[in-house]
Amino acid sequence: MSSTHRPTPLTSRLAPGAASLSRRRCPRSTATSANPNNRSGAVAMAGFARYGVKEDNPDGTFMETYGLNLGGGNIGRESIVFGADATLLAFEVERPMGIVFEDVNGECVAVEIIEGSNAFAAGVMVGDVLRMTSAVAVGKSTVEVGKLQVEPSLGMRKKGANRRALFVADRRPFDAVMDAVVSNAEDVDGTVSPTVALLLERRS
């Protein structure tokens, strides 16, 4: 994975002074997409599942809870606030992916989709904001889920075993978000997942 610094072609969408941003290229991909228009009930969405119902806020934003099956009967869940004009999309994208992300005003935004990649074919679009991703955490360390630091079991710490995790991108450093995405290439119990689960927000 490489990192370059050059003016982004999306200056019309950026605040003044934000034209030059760090770029991190994520690998090419194949993908399957979920139905972004289905928002009611408990719905499985390409790796993610929604729990409960949408809660509307007075300012027009809304909150929904999403979870990811981490294996062994464990479900990682997190409640996230979305903008009033948001459409939510979930993808399970085969590695390597064809998405270029940049830090745009503190958010991890897709600024380029490699033409011909499966991410392109699946419908990931420029401007999509990464809100959550699957990840792999090393057993010796803690994994941050939302605002909580989750400790691995003693056995995991002794073995240094990797485990699946849910990573929330909000208010996290850009490099940490990219590290979480790339970590999906690490093995868990001797098996490497061929896909990365992404929850994206698309704004109108």
Side-chain angles (χ1 to χ4, degrees):
M1 187 173 63
S2 62
S3 177
T4 62
H5 295 267
R6 62 182 175 85
T8 171
L10 305 179
T11 53
S12 62
R13 296 195 298 108
L14 304 179
S20 181
L21 300 169
S22 66
R23 171 164 289 191
R24 185 69 64 88
R25 185 178 295 277
C26 290
R28 296 184 61 183
S29 62
T30 59
T32 57
S33 63
N35 180 358
N37 299 315
N38 190 346
R39 286 186 172 178
S40 61
V43 181
M45 300 176 62
F48 285 92
R50 185 175 59 248
Y51 291 84
V53 297
K54 181 175 74 171
E55 298 181 27
D56 294 313
N57 298 321
D59 62 359
T61 61
F62 62 94
M63 182 173 67
E64 289 187 331
T65 300
Y66 286 87
L68 187 66
N69 187 346
L70 305 179
N74 297 317
I75 304 293
R77 303 185 192 185
E78 185 70 20
S79 296
I80 295 184
V81 175
F82 300 93
D85 60 348
T87 298
L88 310 182
L89 304 101
F91 296 90
E92 193 151 6
V93 184
E94 286 188 14
R95 299 180 298 100
M97 297 193 302
I99 307 171
V100 179
F101 287 109
E102 283 186 0
D103 184 349
V104 179
N105 297 329
E107 294 183 311
C108 185
V109 179
V111 298
E112 183 181 347
I113 309 301
I114 306 302
E115 187 172 358
S117 70
N118 288 316
F120 179 89
V124 179
M125 295 178 62
V126 168
D128 288 348
V129 180
L130 179 61
R131 301 301 303 271
M132 290 197 291
T133 179
S134 58
V136 173
V138 178
K140 290 181 179 179
S141 65
T142 59
V143 58
E144 185 166 287
V145 179
K147 298 178 181 178
L148 302 176
Q149 293 286 341
V150 179
E151 292 287 345
S153 68
L154 179 60
M156 280 184 162
R157 288 199 297 273
K158 286 181 177 179
K159 292 188 298 183
N162 289 349
R163 65 199 185 284
R164 303 198 187 283
L166 170 65
F167 186 94
V168 180
D170 295 0
R171 297 178 297 279
R172 299 304 308 277
F174 179 73
D175 285 347
V177 178
M178 292 296 94
D179 287 344
V181 173
V182 171
S183 73
N184 285 276
E186 299 293 332
D187 74 278
V188 177
D189 295 328
T191 301
V192 177
S193 173
T195 62
V196 180
L198 304 173
L199 182 67
L200 304 176
E201 178 179 348
R202 184 171 297 167
R203 297 163 184 169
S204 57

